[in-house]
Amino acid sequence: GAGVSQSPSNKVTEKGKDVELRCDPISGHTALYWYRQRLGQGLEFLIYFQGNSAPDKSGLPSDRFSAERTGESVSTLTIQRTQQEDSAVYLCASSLGGGVSYEQYFGPGTRLTVT
Amino acid sequence: AQKITQTQPGMFVQEKEAVTLDCTYDTSDPSYGLFWYKQPSSGEMIFLIYQGSYDQQNATEGRYSLNFQKARKSANLVISASQLGDSAMYFCAMREGTSNTGKLIFGQGTTLQVKP
């Protein structure tokens, strides 16, 4: 079946511009996650959506970052007034449920470059 | 404080030999899960193996096994019979169960290179 998809795959933007990244989770997966991976580093958690519960936004680095999810479907991550330190790969993942044992399936990521 | 520590930035292994990638973790949550992911140069994250904190036996998945030592808080990944395609970055990750946060906490990764 179809995996997690993300668009765009690459995005180059000028400092100060807003960007919107999109994630389509695996159908039927109630949980959705956004992570950021800087070059050569591990993944940093950004935000977690689980069903109709309030999202866990504890990983968002600043108020320039926000995310939305429509039901149990598509999610968008928005970065306003981009800065050079926002350059990274943004990875989306989804899982069947929110329990601790559920494997997270990752998308291919969006590589964001802020010039 | 680091919750997941991978002390080996880079490792080499000869093809067909076994290799152990180290991972130690820190949590006070009695319920947690430990995961290993592989990230080839293409960038995708591939799930390899899972170990739950209450699991009595070490997890195994094909050539992958997890050496889980709960008292030492270590969850080392063992890859047997290494193949050239195993060359990649490997990440250990933990998810804490009772906090209900859902997030995976990742280590910094270990780059594995398999030599022919």
Side-chain angles (χ1 to χ4, degrees):
Chain A
V4 177
S5 60
Q6 292 184 246
S7 60
S9 54
N10 278 285
K11 176 73 177 178
V12 180
T13 190
E14 290 181 355
K15 177 181 170 181
K17 301 277 190 183
D18 297 353
V19 295
E20 196 171 273
L21 312 180
R22 177 187 167 108
C23 172
D24 279 276
I26 294 171
S27 177
H29 281 196
T30 62
L32 186 146
Y33 317 77
W34 284 97
Y35 295 87
R36 177 172 70 179
Q37 186 177 27
R38 292 198 165 108
L39 189 63
Q41 301 294 311
L43 279 67
E44 303 169 71
F45 167 78
L46 296 176
I47 189 167
Y48 160 55
F49 296 92
Q50 169 54 39
N52 295 320
S53 302
D56 174 5
K57 304 180 182 180
S58 61
L60 295 178
S62 76
D63 58 9
R64 296 187 296 105
F65 287 73
S66 63
E68 292 183 349
R69 186 180 186 193
T70 309
E72 293 185 353
S73 184
V74 171
S75 175
T76 54
L77 176 68
T78 302
I79 309 173
Q80 295 178 310
R81 304 181 302 282
T82 52
Q83 304 294 311
Q84 287 185 331
E85 63 262 28
D86 299 335
S87 295
V89 176
Y90 289 83
L91 290 152
C92 175
S94 70
S95 64
L96 198 55
V100 69
S101 64
Y102 285 105
E103 171 193 342
Q104 295 183 19
Y105 294 82
F106 284 81
T110 293
R111 182 175 299 277
L112 175 65
T113 304
V114 182
T115 61
Chain B
Q2 289 278 10
K3 288 212 168 188
I4 296 284
T5 303
Q6 295 182 253
T7 56
Q8 307 151 313
M11 290 278 287
F12 289 92
V13 65
Q14 204 67 38
E15 192 179 8
K16 299 180 186 176
E17 291 186 350
V19 63
T20 298
L21 306 183
D22 294 342
C23 173
T24 58
Y25 60 92
D26 184 25
T27 182
S28 56
D29 195 327
S31 173
Y32 54 89
L34 297 158
F35 299 79
W36 277 92
Y37 282 85
K38 172 184 178 182
Q39 188 176 44
S41 56
S42 56
E44 62 195 297
M45 292 288 286
I46 302 168
F47 166 75
L48 296 178
I49 196 165
Y50 164 79
Q51 180 85 43
S53 60
Y54 295 119
D55 292 345
Q56 296 296 311
Q57 295 191 329
N58 287 344
T60 60
E61 288 285 349
R63 294 187 299 111
Y64 304 107
S65 60
L66 203 151
N67 184 2
F68 181 46
Q69 298 188 42
K70 195 169 181 177
R72 294 185 178 184
K73 293 189 174 178
S74 76
N76 299 340
L77 177 70
V78 180
I79 306 174
S80 63
S82 297
Q83 302 172 356
L84 295 177
D86 294 335
S87 294
M89 188 85 151
Y90 288 80
F91 290 100
C92 179
M94 175 176 67
R95 183 169 180 178
E96 291 167 317
T98 54
S99 64
N100 205 34
T101 169
K103 69 180 178 185
L104 279 173
I105 304 164
F106 283 83
Q108 292 299 295
T110 295
T111 301
L112 176 66
Q113 292 192 39
V114 181
K115 294 181 173 181

